[in-house]
Amino acid sequence: VTRLSARAVGGIPEVSAGDDLAALIVAALGEEPLGEGQVLAIAHKAVSKAEGAVVALAGVHPGARARELAARIAAEGGQQKDPRAVQVVLDESAEILRSERGVLICRTRHGFVCANAGVDASNSAGPDALVLLPRDPDASARKIRERLRTLLSGRRGEEAAAPAVLISDSFGRTWRYGQLDVVIGLAGMQPLDDWRGRLDAHGLELQATWLAVADAAAATADLARAKDSREPVVVIDGLERYLSTEDGPGAAALLRAPAEDLFR
Amino acid sequence: VTRLSARAVGGIPEVSAGDDLAALIVAALGEEPLGEGQVLAIAHKAVSKAEGAVVALAGVHPGARARELAARIAAEGGQQKDPRAVQVVLDESAEILRSERGVLICRTRHGFVCANAGVDASNSAGPDALVLLPRDPDASARKIRERLRTLLSGRRGEEAAAPAVLISDSFGRTWRYGQLDVVIGLAGMQPLDDWRGRLDAHGLELQATWLAVADAAAATADLARAKDSREPVVVIDGLERYLSTEDGPGAAALLRAPAEDLFR
């Protein structure tokens, strides 16, 4: 019987630029086991802050397009947007897909489609600071995994097997209300489980079935987390069948090629 | 510490029209507890089959539009589609949003946006049968919940509190590869958790945070299920904070009003 479980890790302090996030996580876990067969899911803000992917609005000079977009959003009755914040969103975007109803739907430089290019206000870094997505979230996941392997090996006195590392953000969806956590960076877990063409329990070919298992894991982690608490990290057990020693293709493999997308 | 867990329920037989699905689930659970504080997640096919929402292709006469769409899909190099199957999809649709690249993206009569209006081939019902979505999945969830309450009360000799009931289907997404289970019918669980305007652990107002917790639960359930096994039912523990004695607004509350949608 498969049993899936997820628990939030308490006691992780506020993260600042330059912090060794993997070390903070290992310290917070104490004697709780972490390793092979587990997924360590991290809300991206902790990763972004550790990497210094934070922008102070005071140093941003909005260009003409940012000022124009901010004015249009205000005119449409959307949430008031600081033109400097809009400039930061534009800097993070490869393409603006929609700017309606006070919302900017962007394709980020990485290829993610989400509101405001993933740029968030930071509660902890002050009202004047914005948190960006990590520069290369798959690389961030690989680095954290490698650092965990080193730290866990040291602790156990042997070469340790590292958990998979999953970095998530909350994205809105088309057609449905509410946000859902999805994976933006991944190492050591397959992002997709491809059953197309395989046979089912009846020996018949399964219909097109191509499961976004890493996104499902990100959604699971968010359910184990209380939004008002400082719990960026969740440990998931029970996904061994999707894990690998190799880092694998990362979350980039989840991004539909723009040319293949029916909704632009 | 929050701990979330999910386990698939084994031993549920193939479901046919007229079956008492709640009774089959209670029998399969045996002495395992089921009740208040738990979510019973059911893959929609089991519900559809029990309700007889199955169409035999032999009795379907494709109209002109179905034949035209089937021909266009074939010409575009998509998967060959039986014009009768296209007719069934049209019958289930309020609107066809896209018919490109061999895929029909539909808004169903219920308001769900998904490929083929949720119409699936049925492995068990034979190659000539298609399984539809339940007529009214929220009503299905409420009925199954009520029936569970009756069955569990009888078993315990007292008025039992029923688990929440969640009916899911696997939908593709815009911009990202792979399918993710989402909720299409719900009773006893809030679909959305609204943190907009609330304060965070720092006493500052949280950014727009509106979590689709029922969809996250559907994704969690699917991770606990092996796709090649007959495990339509998953029991989830650890979501007490989202559950209620009342059935609540159902999955219908997750459907973005078409007029509010930026992607049509």
Side-chain angles (χ1 to χ4, degrees), chain B residues 62-84 86-87 99 102 104:
Chain B
R65 189 166 177 223
R67 292 196 305 271
E68 185 249 314
L69 273 172
R72 197 207 300 175
I73 289 165
E76 286 173 358
Q79 209 181 341
Q80 196 76 25
K81 275 199 169 47
D82 186 322
R84 298 173 300 174
V86 175
Q87 183 62 51
S99 58
L104 292 170

Side-chain angles (χ1 to χ4, degrees), chain B residues 178-262:
Chain B
Q179 295 145 9
L180 204 57
D181 264 36
V182 297
V183 58
I184 64 167
L186 188 67
M189 178 178 184
Q190 64 186 79
L192 291 153
D193 189 29
D194 194 350
W195 285 79
R196 294 172 297 179
R198 284 202 252 173
L199 304 184
D200 77 351
H202 299 90
L204 295 172
E205 187 164 325
L206 287 168
Q207 313 128 240
T209 303
W210 197 24
L211 306 169
V213 289
D215 282 333
T220 299
D222 201 44
L223 270 188
R225 191 151 43 213
K227 271 283 158 181
D228 65 340
S229 65
R230 304 182 197 180
E231 294 177 334
V233 178
V234 171
V235 175
I236 307 178
D237 282 276
L239 295 178
E240 291 82 354
R241 64 195 181 283
Y242 302 126
L243 307 187
S244 60
T245 307
E246 304 75 45
D247 287 331
L254 284 159
L255 298 181
R256 194 187 294 273
E260 288 182 29
D261 213 303
L262 301 179

Side-chain angles (χ1 to χ4, degrees), chain A residues 101 179 183 210 215 259 262, chain B residues 98 101 176 179 210 259:
Chain A
R101 300 175 183 277
Q179 296 145 10
V183 60
W210 196 25
D215 282 333
L262 301 179
Chain B
R98 295 286 188 282
R101 300 174 181 277
R176 296 175 79 86
Q179 295 145 9
W210 197 24

